Amino acid sequence: MFQKDTLDALFAELEINYGQTTEYDQLLRETHLGIALSDADRDFDGQVDQRVSSLIKKHRDDS
């Protein structure tokens, strides 16, 4: 489950990497969806952009 510090880091990295792109708003929405699915122990691969999926996996706290 995500904690505030890991969410902050994930969204900061998303903004740094994609904040100036035209896709940013869509990636942001998909990030919210992916986080919700992850926190519900649901599969989010294939439901969100691969870039989003990679960030979620990188920042997820499985403990």
Side-chain angles (χ1 to χ4, degrees):
M1 181 169 251
F2 280 92
Q3 301 300 319
K4 183 180 182 334
D5 58 335
T6 55
L7 286 172
D8 289 344
L10 188 158
F11 284 110
E13 186 170 348
L14 182 72
E15 185 172 2
I16 288 166
N17 292 336
Y18 307 108
Q20 299 302 314
T21 68
T22 57
E23 302 171 298
Y24 179 68
D25 286 339
Q26 180 64 32
L27 292 172
L28 190 58
R29 285 190 292 274
E30 290 189 26
T31 302
H32 284 280
L33 172 62
I35 289 168
L37 290 170
S38 174
D39 279 351
D41 290 327
R42 303 266 317 271
D43 183 31
F44 54 89
D45 277 331
Q47 296 191 50
V48 297
D49 188 282
Q50 181 58 42
R51 296 168 288 184
V52 169
S53 180
S54 295
L55 280 174
I56 291 171
K57 289 175 184 175
K58 178 180 176 182
H59 291 279
R60 181 173 49 194
D61 180 14
D62 288 326
S63 56

